[in-house]
Amino acid sequence: MGFAADTYRNKLLEENEDLRRIVHNVYIELVNMVDEKKEAFISTRAKESSAKPDHIKDFYNKYFENAEMLKIKTGVFQMPWEKVGSEVNSLFRENMGILREFLDKVCTFSFSTDTFKDLSKELSEIDDSRS
């Protein structure tokens, strides 16, 4: 190989390493984000509720039981992409589905809770006006 070919190959190897590092970091951030948001959601709901905190946490842990992100071992990102690329890609897709389901559950629950609060407020206002 000539100097130009070696230089080009080294440049590609560096870019490949950068991309692996980026994919790994994005993956870690995705997993951490869902875990942190789930914990924050459960903690907030436990504080807002009059029920025992442990009961609330048990309820929401069951509610979000399918929102556990699939983990990938760090070493996978150092392996040849030909061997692990399809697995990593598949796990990313599965985790994006888990993220979507988690966000849907949070939105559905929040919408239902807000709707219930609004309905309760309207009903109490009607009761007050009849008194």
PDB file of all heavy atoms in Angstrom, residues 6-36:
ATOM      1  N   ASP A   6      -2.518   4.305   2.953  1.00  0.00           N
ATOM      2  CA  ASP A   6      -2.386   4.137   4.406  1.00  0.00           C
ATOM      3  C   ASP A   6      -3.020   5.303   5.154  1.00  0.00           C
ATOM      4  O   ASP A   6      -3.686   5.110   6.172  1.00  0.00           O
ATOM      5  CB  ASP A   6      -0.916   4.011   4.809  1.00  0.00           C
ATOM      6  CG  ASP A   6      -0.319   2.655   4.461  1.00  0.00           C
ATOM      7  OD1 ASP A   6      -1.106   1.714   4.211  1.00  0.00           O
ATOM      8  OD2 ASP A   6       0.926   2.556   4.438  1.00  0.00           O
ATOM      9  N   THR A   7      -2.796   6.498   4.670  1.00  0.00           N
ATOM     10  CA  THR A   7      -3.372   7.691   5.293  1.00  0.00           C
ATOM     11  C   THR A   7      -4.898   7.618   5.251  1.00  0.00           C
ATOM     12  O   THR A   7      -5.568   7.876   6.257  1.00  0.00           O
ATOM     13  CB  THR A   7      -2.881   8.974   4.589  1.00  0.00           C
ATOM     14  OG1 THR A   7      -1.457   9.006   4.647  1.00  0.00           O
ATOM     15  CG2 THR A   7      -3.452  10.215   5.243  1.00  0.00           C
ATOM     16  N   TYR A   8      -5.432   7.245   4.102  1.00  0.00           N
ATOM     17  CA  TYR A   8      -6.883   7.128   3.940  1.00  0.00           C
ATOM     18  C   TYR A   8      -7.439   6.035   4.861  1.00  0.00           C
ATOM     19  O   TYR A   8      -8.452   6.243   5.525  1.00  0.00           O
ATOM     20  CB  TYR A   8      -7.209   6.817   2.474  1.00  0.00           C
ATOM     21  CG  TYR A   8      -8.683   6.715   2.211  1.00  0.00           C
ATOM     22  CD1 TYR A   8      -9.497   7.848   2.225  1.00  0.00           C
ATOM     23  CD2 TYR A   8      -9.279   5.480   1.949  1.00  0.00           C
ATOM     24  CE1 TYR A   8     -10.863   7.757   1.991  1.00  0.00           C
ATOM     25  CE2 TYR A   8     -10.634   5.378   1.716  1.00  0.00           C
ATOM     26  CZ  TYR A   8     -11.430   6.515   1.735  1.00  0.00           C
ATOM     27  OH  TYR A   8     -12.770   6.419   1.507  1.00  0.00           O
ATOM     28  N   ARG A   9      -6.758   4.901   4.937  1.00  0.00           N
ATOM     29  CA  ARG A   9      -7.190   3.794   5.804  1.00  0.00           C
ATOM     30  C   ARG A   9      -7.179   4.233   7.266  1.00  0.00           C
ATOM     31  O   ARG A   9      -8.108   3.955   8.013  1.00  0.00           O
ATOM     32  CB  ARG A   9      -6.276   2.593   5.585  1.00  0.00           C
ATOM     33  CG  ARG A   9      -6.685   1.373   6.378  1.00  0.00           C
ATOM     34  CD  ARG A   9      -5.778   0.182   6.039  1.00  0.00           C
ATOM     35  NE  ARG A   9      -6.162  -0.980   6.774  1.00  0.00           N
ATOM     36  CZ  ARG A   9      -5.789  -1.246   8.025  1.00  0.00           C
ATOM     37  NH1 ARG A   9      -5.010  -0.401   8.673  1.00  0.00           N
ATOM     38  NH2 ARG A   9      -6.180  -2.345   8.634  1.00  0.00           N
ATOM     39  N   ASN A  10      -6.116   4.913   7.692  1.00  0.00           N
ATOM     40  CA  ASN A  10      -6.036   5.384   9.072  1.00  0.00           C
ATOM     41  C   ASN A  10      -7.148   6.380   9.386  1.00  0.00           C
ATOM     42  O   ASN A  10      -7.718   6.365  10.483  1.00  0.00           O
ATOM     43  CB  ASN A  10      -4.668   5.996   9.360  1.00  0.00           C
ATOM     44  CG  ASN A  10      -3.587   4.947   9.440  1.00  0.00           C
ATOM     45  OD1 ASN A  10      -3.864   3.779   9.689  1.00  0.00           O
ATOM     46  ND2 ASN A  10      -2.345   5.345   9.201  1.00  0.00           N
ATOM     47  N   LYS A  11      -7.453   7.241   8.423  1.00  0.00           N
ATOM     48  CA  LYS A  11      -8.539   8.215   8.595  1.00  0.00           C
ATOM     49  C   LYS A  11      -9.873   7.491   8.779  1.00  0.00           C
ATOM     50  O   LYS A  11     -10.667   7.836   9.649  1.00  0.00           O
ATOM     51  CB  LYS A  11      -8.583   9.160   7.385  1.00  0.00           C
ATOM     52  CG  LYS A  11      -9.695  10.157   7.408  1.00  0.00           C
ATOM     53  CD  LYS A  11      -9.242  11.435   8.050  1.00  0.00           C
ATOM     54  CE  LYS A  11     -10.310  12.493   7.857  1.00  0.00           C
ATOM     55  NZ  LYS A  11     -10.732  13.090   9.089  1.00  0.00           N
ATOM     56  N   LEU A  12     -10.111   6.461   7.969  1.00  0.00           N
ATOM     57  CA  LEU A  12     -11.341   5.677   8.098  1.00  0.00           C
ATOM     58  C   LEU A  12     -11.410   4.957   9.453  1.00  0.00           C
ATOM     59  O   LEU A  12     -12.477   4.896  10.071  1.00  0.00           O
ATOM     60  CB  LEU A  12     -11.453   4.669   6.958  1.00  0.00           C
ATOM     61  CG  LEU A  12     -11.809   5.221   5.593  1.00  0.00           C
ATOM     62  CD1 LEU A  12     -11.810   4.105   4.556  1.00  0.00           C
ATOM     63  CD2 LEU A  12     -13.166   5.912   5.623  1.00  0.00           C
ATOM     64  N   LEU A  13     -10.291   4.424   9.904  1.00  0.00           N
ATOM     65  CA  LEU A  13     -10.258   3.752  11.205  1.00  0.00           C
ATOM     66  C   LEU A  13     -10.572   4.738  12.340  1.00  0.00           C
ATOM     67  O   LEU A  13     -11.297   4.400  13.285  1.00  0.00           O
ATOM     68  CB  LEU A  13      -8.906   3.084  11.433  1.00  0.00           C
ATOM     69  CG  LEU A  13      -8.624   1.833  10.599  1.00  0.00           C
ATOM     70  CD1 LEU A  13      -7.171   1.372  10.776  1.00  0.00           C
ATOM     71  CD2 LEU A  13      -9.589   0.720  10.966  1.00  0.00           C
ATOM     72  N   GLU A  14     -10.035   5.935  12.262  1.00  0.00           N
ATOM     73  CA  GLU A  14     -10.319   6.960  13.271  1.00  0.00           C
ATOM     74  C   GLU A  14     -11.801   7.335  13.265  1.00  0.00           C
ATOM     75  O   GLU A  14     -12.425   7.453  14.323  1.00  0.00           O
ATOM     76  CB  GLU A  14      -9.478   8.213  13.017  1.00  0.00           C
ATOM     77  CG  GLU A  14      -8.019   8.069  13.358  1.00  0.00           C
ATOM     78  CD  GLU A  14      -7.217   9.316  12.990  1.00  0.00           C
ATOM     79  OE1 GLU A  14      -7.805  10.415  12.920  1.00  0.00           O
ATOM     80  OE2 GLU A  14      -6.003   9.183  12.766  1.00  0.00           O
ATOM     81  N   GLU A  15     -12.359   7.524  12.054  1.00  0.00           N
ATOM     82  CA  GLU A  15     -13.777   7.856  11.953  1.00  0.00           C
ATOM     83  C   GLU A  15     -14.636   6.721  12.490  1.00  0.00           C
ATOM     84  O   GLU A  15     -15.630   6.956  13.171  1.00  0.00           O
ATOM     85  CB  GLU A  15     -14.153   8.165  10.507  1.00  0.00           C
ATOM     86  CG  GLU A  15     -13.620   9.487  10.013  1.00  0.00           C
ATOM     87  CD  GLU A  15     -13.922   9.737   8.544  1.00  0.00           C
ATOM     88  OE1 GLU A  15     -14.586   8.884   7.903  1.00  0.00           O
ATOM     89  OE2 GLU A  15     -13.497  10.791   8.036  1.00  0.00           O
ATOM     90  N   ASN A  16     -14.236   5.486  12.184  1.00  0.00           N
ATOM     91  CA  ASN A  16     -14.963   4.326  12.674  1.00  0.00           C
ATOM     92  C   ASN A  16     -14.967   4.302  14.204  1.00  0.00           C
ATOM     93  O   ASN A  16     -15.989   4.050  14.833  1.00  0.00           O
ATOM     94  CB  ASN A  16     -14.339   3.050  12.108  1.00  0.00           C
ATOM     95  CG  ASN A  16     -15.139   1.813  12.434  1.00  0.00           C
ATOM     96  OD1 ASN A  16     -16.317   1.882  12.763  1.00  0.00           O
ATOM     97  ND2 ASN A  16     -14.482   0.670  12.338  1.00  0.00           N
ATOM     98  N   GLU A  17     -13.816   4.565  14.782  1.00  0.00           N
ATOM     99  CA  GLU A  17     -13.700   4.590  16.245  1.00  0.00           C
ATOM    100  C   GLU A  17     -14.567   5.709  16.839  1.00  0.00           C
ATOM    101  O   GLU A  17     -15.232   5.524  17.853  1.00  0.00           O
ATOM    102  CB  GLU A  17     -12.238   4.744  16.661  1.00  0.00           C
ATOM    103  CG  GLU A  17     -11.981   4.515  18.127  1.00  0.00           C
ATOM    104  CD  GLU A  17     -12.388   3.123  18.598  1.00  0.00           C
ATOM    105  OE1 GLU A  17     -12.231   2.149  17.841  1.00  0.00           O
ATOM    106  OE2 GLU A  17     -12.872   3.014  19.736  1.00  0.00           O
ATOM    107  N   ASP A  18     -14.560   6.871  16.200  1.00  0.00           N
ATOM    108  CA  ASP A  18     -15.408   7.985  16.657  1.00  0.00           C
ATOM    109  C   ASP A  18     -16.888   7.606  16.605  1.00  0.00           C
ATOM    110  O   ASP A  18     -17.649   7.881  17.533  1.00  0.00           O
ATOM    111  CB  ASP A  18     -15.180   9.234  15.810  1.00  0.00           C
ATOM    112  CG  ASP A  18     -13.855   9.918  16.098  1.00  0.00           C
ATOM    113  OD1 ASP A  18     -13.237   9.616  17.145  1.00  0.00           O
ATOM    114  OD2 ASP A  18     -13.430  10.751  15.267  1.00  0.00           O
ATOM    115  N   LEU A  19     -17.287   6.970  15.520  1.00  0.00           N
ATOM    116  CA  LEU A  19     -18.691   6.561  15.382  1.00  0.00           C
ATOM    117  C   LEU A  19     -19.075   5.526  16.432  1.00  0.00           C
ATOM    118  O   LEU A  19     -20.165   5.587  17.005  1.00  0.00           O
ATOM    119  CB  LEU A  19     -18.959   6.030  13.976  1.00  0.00           C
ATOM    120  CG  LEU A  19     -18.981   7.068  12.869  1.00  0.00           C
ATOM    121  CD1 LEU A  19     -19.076   6.399  11.504  1.00  0.00           C
ATOM    122  CD2 LEU A  19     -20.136   8.047  13.072  1.00  0.00           C
ATOM    123  N   ARG A  20     -18.192   4.601  16.701  1.00  0.00           N
ATOM    124  CA  ARG A  20     -18.465   3.601  17.751  1.00  0.00           C
ATOM    125  C   ARG A  20     -18.640   4.279  19.111  1.00  0.00           C
ATOM    126  O   ARG A  20     -19.537   3.942  19.871  1.00  0.00           O
ATOM    127  CB  ARG A  20     -17.310   2.598  17.849  1.00  0.00           C
ATOM    128  CG  ARG A  20     -17.255   1.621  16.730  1.00  0.00           C
ATOM    129  CD  ARG A  20     -15.973   0.773  16.869  1.00  0.00           C
ATOM    130  NE  ARG A  20     -15.815  -0.120  15.776  1.00  0.00           N
ATOM    131  CZ  ARG A  20     -16.229  -1.391  15.775  1.00  0.00           C
ATOM    132  NH1 ARG A  20     -16.822  -1.872  16.836  1.00  0.00           N
ATOM    133  NH2 ARG A  20     -16.035  -2.144  14.718  1.00  0.00           N
ATOM    134  N   ARG A  21     -17.777   5.224  19.386  1.00  0.00           N
ATOM    135  CA  ARG A  21     -17.851   5.944  20.663  1.00  0.00           C
ATOM    136  C   ARG A  21     -19.167   6.729  20.753  1.00  0.00           C
ATOM    137  O   ARG A  21     -19.833   6.731  21.778  1.00  0.00           O
ATOM    138  CB  ARG A  21     -16.635   6.867  20.794  1.00  0.00           C
ATOM    139  CG  ARG A  21     -16.338   7.318  22.191  1.00  0.00           C
ATOM    140  CD  ARG A  21     -15.012   8.066  22.379  1.00  0.00           C
ATOM    141  NE  ARG A  21     -14.395   8.648  21.195  1.00  0.00           N
ATOM    142  CZ  ARG A  21     -13.391   8.088  20.502  1.00  0.00           C
ATOM    143  NH1 ARG A  21     -12.911   6.928  20.860  1.00  0.00           N
ATOM    144  NH2 ARG A  21     -12.870   8.691  19.456  1.00  0.00           N
ATOM    145  N   ILE A  22     -19.562   7.357  19.661  1.00  0.00           N
ATOM    146  CA  ILE A  22     -20.810   8.125  19.637  1.00  0.00           C
ATOM    147  C   ILE A  22     -22.007   7.200  19.837  1.00  0.00           C
ATOM    148  O   ILE A  22     -22.904   7.496  20.639  1.00  0.00           O
ATOM    149  CB  ILE A  22     -20.930   8.918  18.316  1.00  0.00           C
ATOM    150  CG1 ILE A  22     -19.916  10.058  18.306  1.00  0.00           C
ATOM    151  CG2 ILE A  22     -22.345   9.448  18.110  1.00  0.00           C
ATOM    152  CD1 ILE A  22     -19.727  10.715  16.941  1.00  0.00           C
ATOM    153  N   VAL A  23     -22.029   6.086  19.117  1.00  0.00           N
ATOM    154  CA  VAL A  23     -23.138   5.128  19.257  1.00  0.00           C
ATOM    155  C   VAL A  23     -23.208   4.625  20.691  1.00  0.00           C
ATOM    156  O   VAL A  23     -24.290   4.544  21.289  1.00  0.00           O
ATOM    157  CB  VAL A  23     -22.983   3.959  18.255  1.00  0.00           C
ATOM    158  CG1 VAL A  23     -23.952   2.829  18.574  1.00  0.00           C
ATOM    159  CG2 VAL A  23     -23.203   4.456  16.832  1.00  0.00           C
ATOM    160  N   HIS A  24     -22.067   4.310  21.267  1.00  0.00           N
ATOM    161  CA  HIS A  24     -22.032   3.836  22.652  1.00  0.00           C
ATOM    162  C   HIS A  24     -22.563   4.907  23.615  1.00  0.00           C
ATOM    163  O   HIS A  24     -23.372   4.616  24.497  1.00  0.00           O
ATOM    164  CB  HIS A  24     -20.597   3.432  23.020  1.00  0.00           C
ATOM    165  CG  HIS A  24     -20.466   2.883  24.394  1.00  0.00           C
ATOM    166  ND1 HIS A  24     -19.653   3.445  25.328  1.00  0.00           N
ATOM    167  CD2 HIS A  24     -21.066   1.833  25.001  1.00  0.00           C
ATOM    168  CE1 HIS A  24     -19.747   2.765  26.456  1.00  0.00           C
ATOM    169  NE2 HIS A  24     -20.595   1.783  26.282  1.00  0.00           N
ATOM    170  N   ASN A  25     -22.114   6.139  23.441  1.00  0.00           N
ATOM    171  CA  ASN A  25     -22.578   7.228  24.312  1.00  0.00           C
ATOM    172  C   ASN A  25     -24.074   7.487  24.163  1.00  0.00           C
ATOM    173  O   ASN A  25     -24.771   7.721  25.156  1.00  0.00           O
ATOM    174  CB  ASN A  25     -21.785   8.505  24.042  1.00  0.00           C
ATOM    175  CG  ASN A  25     -20.353   8.406  24.519  1.00  0.00           C
ATOM    176  OD1 ASN A  25     -20.015   7.584  25.370  1.00  0.00           O
ATOM    177  ND2 ASN A  25     -19.489   9.217  23.947  1.00  0.00           N
ATOM    178  N   VAL A  26     -24.576   7.460  22.937  1.00  0.00           N
ATOM    179  CA  VAL A  26     -26.017   7.647  22.712  1.00  0.00           C
ATOM    180  C   VAL A  26     -26.794   6.534  23.398  1.00  0.00           C
ATOM    181  O   VAL A  26     -27.819   6.772  24.043  1.00  0.00           O
ATOM    182  CB  VAL A  26     -26.337   7.711  21.199  1.00  0.00           C
ATOM    183  CG1 VAL A  26     -27.828   7.582  20.948  1.00  0.00           C
ATOM    184  CG2 VAL A  26     -25.807   8.995  20.597  1.00  0.00           C
ATOM    185  N   TYR A  27     -26.292   5.333  23.273  1.00  0.00           N
ATOM    186  CA  TYR A  27     -26.957   4.194  23.904  1.00  0.00           C
ATOM    187  C   TYR A  27     -27.010   4.352  25.420  1.00  0.00           C
ATOM    188  O   TYR A  27     -28.065   4.172  26.038  1.00  0.00           O
ATOM    189  CB  TYR A  27     -26.236   2.894  23.524  1.00  0.00           C
ATOM    190  CG  TYR A  27     -26.989   1.696  24.010  1.00  0.00           C
ATOM    191  CD1 TYR A  27     -28.069   1.207  23.294  1.00  0.00           C
ATOM    192  CD2 TYR A  27     -26.662   1.089  25.205  1.00  0.00           C
ATOM    193  CE1 TYR A  27     -28.795   0.133  23.761  1.00  0.00           C
ATOM    194  CE2 TYR A  27     -27.378   0.013  25.675  1.00  0.00           C
ATOM    195  CZ  TYR A  27     -28.443  -0.464  24.949  1.00  0.00           C
ATOM    196  OH  TYR A  27     -29.164  -1.516  25.423  1.00  0.00           O
ATOM    197  N   ILE A  28     -25.897   4.709  26.014  1.00  0.00           N
ATOM    198  CA  ILE A  28     -25.859   4.911  27.473  1.00  0.00           C
ATOM    199  C   ILE A  28     -26.816   6.024  27.886  1.00  0.00           C
ATOM    200  O   ILE A  28     -27.554   5.889  28.870  1.00  0.00           O
ATOM    201  CB  ILE A  28     -24.420   5.219  27.936  1.00  0.00           C
ATOM    202  CG1 ILE A  28     -23.560   3.957  27.822  1.00  0.00           C
ATOM    203  CG2 ILE A  28     -24.396   5.751  29.366  1.00  0.00           C
ATOM    204  CD1 ILE A  28     -22.081   4.200  28.071  1.00  0.00           C
ATOM    205  N   GLU A  29     -26.834   7.128  27.162  1.00  0.00           N
ATOM    206  CA  GLU A  29     -27.738   8.240  27.477  1.00  0.00           C
ATOM    207  C   GLU A  29     -29.198   7.821  27.375  1.00  0.00           C
ATOM    208  O   GLU A  29     -30.024   8.207  28.204  1.00  0.00           O
ATOM    209  CB  GLU A  29     -27.473   9.430  26.554  1.00  0.00           C
ATOM    210  CG  GLU A  29     -26.197  10.170  26.868  1.00  0.00           C
ATOM    211  CD  GLU A  29     -26.179  10.768  28.272  1.00  0.00           C
ATOM    212  OE1 GLU A  29     -27.199  11.347  28.697  1.00  0.00           O
ATOM    213  OE2 GLU A  29     -25.153  10.649  28.940  1.00  0.00           O
ATOM    214  N   LEU A  30     -29.532   7.049  26.371  1.00  0.00           N
ATOM    215  CA  LEU A  30     -30.900   6.573  26.202  1.00  0.00           C
ATOM    216  C   LEU A  30     -31.346   5.724  27.387  1.00  0.00           C
ATOM    217  O   LEU A  30     -32.414   5.943  27.966  1.00  0.00           O
ATOM    218  CB  LEU A  30     -31.009   5.763  24.897  1.00  0.00           C
ATOM    219  CG  LEU A  30     -32.354   5.134  24.576  1.00  0.00           C
ATOM    220  CD1 LEU A  30     -33.399   6.220  24.316  1.00  0.00           C
ATOM    221  CD2 LEU A  30     -32.214   4.228  23.359  1.00  0.00           C
ATOM    222  N   VAL A  31     -30.515   4.780  27.777  1.00  0.00           N
ATOM    223  CA  VAL A  31     -30.826   3.905  28.906  1.00  0.00           C
ATOM    224  C   VAL A  31     -30.951   4.727  30.192  1.00  0.00           C
ATOM    225  O   VAL A  31     -31.918   4.588  30.951  1.00  0.00           O
ATOM    226  CB  VAL A  31     -29.764   2.794  29.056  1.00  0.00           C
ATOM    227  CG1 VAL A  31     -29.927   2.036  30.363  1.00  0.00           C
ATOM    228  CG2 VAL A  31     -29.827   1.836  27.870  1.00  0.00           C
ATOM    229  N   ASN A  32     -30.000   5.615  30.432  1.00  0.00           N
ATOM    230  CA  ASN A  32     -30.028   6.430  31.649  1.00  0.00           C
ATOM    231  C   ASN A  32     -31.231   7.366  31.679  1.00  0.00           C
ATOM    232  O   ASN A  32     -31.841   7.566  32.731  1.00  0.00           O
ATOM    233  CB  ASN A  32     -28.741   7.238  31.792  1.00  0.00           C
ATOM    234  CG  ASN A  32     -27.546   6.373  32.124  1.00  0.00           C
ATOM    235  OD1 ASN A  32     -27.692   5.243  32.594  1.00  0.00           O
ATOM    236  ND2 ASN A  32     -26.365   6.876  31.867  1.00  0.00           N
ATOM    237  N   MET A  33     -31.566   7.944  30.535  1.00  0.00           N
ATOM    238  CA  MET A  33     -32.687   8.874  30.466  1.00  0.00           C
ATOM    239  C   MET A  33     -33.991   8.195  30.880  1.00  0.00           C
ATOM    240  O   MET A  33     -34.746   8.731  31.698  1.00  0.00           O
ATOM    241  CB  MET A  33     -32.822   9.426  29.049  1.00  0.00           C
ATOM    242  CG  MET A  33     -33.974  10.388  28.871  1.00  0.00           C
ATOM    243  SD  MET A  33     -34.125  10.998  27.176  1.00  0.00           S
ATOM    244  CE  MET A  33     -34.529   9.486  26.308  1.00  0.00           C
ATOM    245  N   VAL A  34     -34.244   7.020  30.339  1.00  0.00           N
ATOM    246  CA  VAL A  34     -35.485   6.320  30.685  1.00  0.00           C
ATOM    247  C   VAL A  34     -35.479   5.934  32.160  1.00  0.00           C
ATOM    248  O   VAL A  34     -36.479   6.131  32.862  1.00  0.00           O
ATOM    249  CB  VAL A  34     -35.711   5.095  29.780  1.00  0.00           C
ATOM    250  CG1 VAL A  34     -36.866   4.244  30.283  1.00  0.00           C
ATOM    251  CG2 VAL A  34     -35.982   5.558  28.355  1.00  0.00           C
ATOM    252  N   ASP A  35     -34.372   5.408  32.649  1.00  0.00           N
ATOM    253  CA  ASP A  35     -34.297   5.025  34.065  1.00  0.00           C
ATOM    254  C   ASP A  35     -34.522   6.230  34.981  1.00  0.00           C
ATOM    255  O   ASP A  35     -35.281   6.157  35.954  1.00  0.00           O
ATOM    256  CB  ASP A  35     -32.951   4.373  34.383  1.00  0.00           C
ATOM    257  CG  ASP A  35     -32.812   2.985  33.782  1.00  0.00           C
ATOM    258  OD1 ASP A  35     -33.838   2.403  33.358  1.00  0.00           O
ATOM    259  OD2 ASP A  35     -31.670   2.479  33.728  1.00  0.00           O
ATOM    260  N   GLU A  36     -33.878   7.348  34.671  1.00  0.00           N
ATOM    261  CA  GLU A  36     -34.016   8.549  35.498  1.00  0.00           C
ATOM    262  C   GLU A  36     -35.436   9.118  35.446  1.00  0.00           C
ATOM    263  O   GLU A  36     -35.999   9.505  36.472  1.00  0.00           O
ATOM    264  CB  GLU A  36     -33.024   9.621  35.053  1.00  0.00           C
ATOM    265  CG  GLU A  36     -31.591   9.293  35.387  1.00  0.00           C
ATOM    266  CD  GLU A  36     -30.592  10.219  34.713  1.00  0.00           C
ATOM    267  OE1 GLU A  36     -31.002  11.209  34.068  1.00  0.00           O
ATOM    268  OE2 GLU A  36     -29.386   9.943  34.824  1.00  0.00           O
TER     269      GLU A  36
END
